[in-house]
Amino acid sequence: MNKPKYHIFVCTSSRINGQQKGFCHSKNSVGLVESFMEEVQDKGLGGEVFITNTGCFGICEKGPIVVVYPDNVWYGSVSEDDIEEIMEQHIEGGKVVERLLI
Amino acid sequence: MNKPKYHIFVCTSSRINGQQKGFCHSKNSVGLVESFMEEVQDKGLGGEVFITNTGCFGICEKGPIVVVYPDNVWYGSVSEDDIEEIMEQHIEGGKVVERLLI
């Protein structure tokens, strides 16, 4: 299969009991997923950058949480305003966005 | 923060609209999440191995899907019977379970 160069995971507070409820979800994390997907499409990166929503990472107080693999880079308190910077500086430029690290 | 040495993502077909519906979910992927969590606890690996449920990876026909980062290793058609092998051979032993690769 075609593996991603970068895989961005966004907590949407999706519980395994089927509920979607939690801090990240209450802070627009579904909007973050959609915006990341739009950015990936706009930049033509669909084949190499995957976006996936997740359940809780257990550090809710630092949410919304975004994790970038294979880098194992963890971002916190991510908002829509941060997405372009993450995409351009980290995903396209290879340089971690230090100010968002947790 | 304490970052994982291994992060295991299991598709539970958790959609961003709050629904939990799809191939992986229909094939006991919630049970897989729970079993991985139990294995991690039993082996005392809670601090270094994280388990997270996710939304769809878009390769449903190969599900249930399990992805191991930072290795970027993708397993398909995973069942409860495979969990001990993944945990012992890959996570503890560092050797990919070839027969489950997709």
Side-chain angles (χ1 to χ4, degrees):
Chain A
M1 62 164 286
N2 179 35
K3 289 186 184 185
K5 180 182 175 192
Y6 284 111
H7 202 149
I8 302 173
F9 293 92
V10 182
C11 175
T12 49
S13 313
S14 302
R15 302 182 184 192
I16 58 172
N17 67 3
Q19 272 194 312
Q20 191 178 43
K21 189 179 173 186
F23 188 80
C24 293
H25 181 254
S26 75
K27 295 285 187 181
N28 185 41
S29 63
V30 167
L32 297 182
V33 172
E34 292 170 332
S35 297
F36 269 118
M37 286 179 169
E38 282 171 20
E39 281 284 316
V40 166
Q41 288 307 310
D42 288 351
K43 293 177 184 299
L45 297 171
E48 51 187 302
V49 180
F50 292 8
I51 311 296
T52 301
N53 64 298
T54 76
C56 183
F57 289 116
I59 42 174
C60 308
E61 72 283 2
K62 295 181 178 167
I65 303 294
V66 171
V67 189
V68 181
Y69 276 108
D71 294 5
N72 204 354
V73 163
W74 292 64
Y75 293 128
S77 304
V78 178
S79 76
E80 297 263 0
D81 295 338
D82 303 316
I83 289 179
E84 202 172 309
E85 192 174 348
I86 292 171
M87 287 300 298
E88 294 185 357
Q89 183 175 315
H90 186 166
I91 303 303
E92 293 189 298
K95 194 166 176 298
V96 168
V97 181
E98 300 276 350
R99 69 176 181 84
L100 295 173
L101 290 178
I102 53 175
Chain B
M1 62 164 288
N2 179 34
K3 289 186 184 185
K5 180 182 176 193
Y6 285 110
H7 201 149
I8 302 173
F9 293 92
V10 182
C11 175
T12 49
S13 313
S14 302
R15 302 181 185 192
I16 58 172
N17 67 2
Q19 272 194 313
Q20 191 179 44
K21 188 179 173 187
F23 188 81
C24 292
H25 181 254
S26 75
K27 294 285 186 181
N28 185 41
S29 63
V30 167
L32 296 181
V33 172
E34 292 171 332
S35 296
F36 270 118
M37 285 179 170
E38 282 171 21
E39 281 285 315
V40 166
Q41 289 307 310
D42 288 352
K43 293 176 183 300
L45 296 172
E48 52 186 303
V49 180
F50 292 8
I51 310 296
T52 301
N53 65 299
T54 76
C56 183
F57 289 115
I59 41 172
C60 310
E61 72 282 4
K62 295 178 178 169
I65 304 293
V66 171
V67 189
V68 180
Y69 276 108
D71 295 2
N72 204 356
V73 163
W74 292 64
Y75 293 128
S77 304
V78 178
S79 75
E80 297 264 359
D81 294 338
D82 303 316
I83 289 179
E84 201 172 308
E85 191 174 349
I86 292 172
M87 287 300 298
E88 295 186 357
Q89 183 175 317
H90 186 167
I91 303 304
E92 294 189 299
K95 193 164 178 296
V96 168
V97 182
E98 299 277 348
R99 68 177 182 84
L100 295 173
L101 290 179
I102 53 174

